[in-house]
Amino acid sequence: MSDFTGKVALVTGSGGGIGLATAKAFASRGADVALLDFNPALLETALPEVQAFGHRVITIQCDVSKADQVEAAVKKTVDELGRLDILVNNAGITRDNLLLRMDEAEWDAVLTTNLKSVFLFSKAVIRPMGKNRGADGKPCGGCIVNTASVIGLFGNVGQANYGAAKAGVINFTKTFAKEYGRKNIRCNAVAPGFIKTRMTDVLSQEAKDRMTSLIPLSRLGEAEDVAKAIVFLASDDASYITGQTLAVSGGMAF
Ligand SMILES: NC(=O)c1ccc[n+]([C@@H]2O[C@H](COP(=O)([O-])OP(=O)(O)OC[C@H]3O[C@@H](n4cnc5c(N)ncnc54)[C@H](O)[C@@H]3O)[C@@H](O)[C@H]2O)c1
């Protein structure tokens, strides 16, 4: 199992779902963790779950679509935990509607929360990650893992906003990898399929059954399935992998 002792991970949208599972996965492997969400009640319940692993944990209330709050969140992480090695851009929302009915507010909310946030956070961590030094005193960079979606690869009825945002995340991942590989900052993405979280709880049983029929592994994913892939991409086991998008979907294809 990868060891993250001495490393600091900031996970956005870690009040629940995939983000919380990811924060717990890092903490269970020795990392100090910054939990970040715009919902303070979720942060309050998540905190003891992550502290249970015995490493330092801080909480940050932040709207990931606001530049000033993003910069303050990165500063707070470095000030309180000493460094920032891993950023997981995970916060996301859906505002599904058929295109003819989709209004500008639904488009803007999804694009700013799911895509603009990735731009803001990734930009904000470049300098702190560039300052990181390993035990040998040499620059060791850092890494970013973005939570995209299979919808960003395939598109989906009713999700023009979400699919465009997640496709943007996948392309942003490639460009960031090209620009900052020389600073040893790797950037990869996961593309989850259909994962059991609050985001998918709202769907009808019929819709869930239909989705399951498209999944070769014949089950919906767990948040932990995605967390394990994120941890792999952030680990030294993935030290020669950058700019890639790993589908975590049970083999799902549209
Ligand atoms: N569940 C799935 O099937 C699935 C599939 C593909 C991709 N994803 C992606 O995985 C990520 C996590 O989703 P999840 O399924 O765990 O959903 P979730 O709703 O359980 O978690 C999302 C978290 O993001 C937070 N958040 C939302 N807007 C925010 C903002 N502006 N600022 C800060 N925090 C904010 C929420 O409070 C919540 O805690 C999302 O990016 C989502 O698009 C999920």
Side-chain angles (χ1 to χ4, degrees), residues 18 37-38 62-64 90 147-148 162 166 192-193 195 197-198 200:
I18 293 168
D37 209 286
F38 71 170
C62 167
D63 180 342
V64 295
N90 166 79
T147 308
Y162 187 81
K166 295 299 191 182
I195 312 299
T197 66
R198 278 183 309 136
T200 48

Side-chain angles (χ1 to χ4, degrees), residues 5 69 97 101 229:
T5 303
Q69 295 187 29
N97 223 334
R101 293 189 202 139

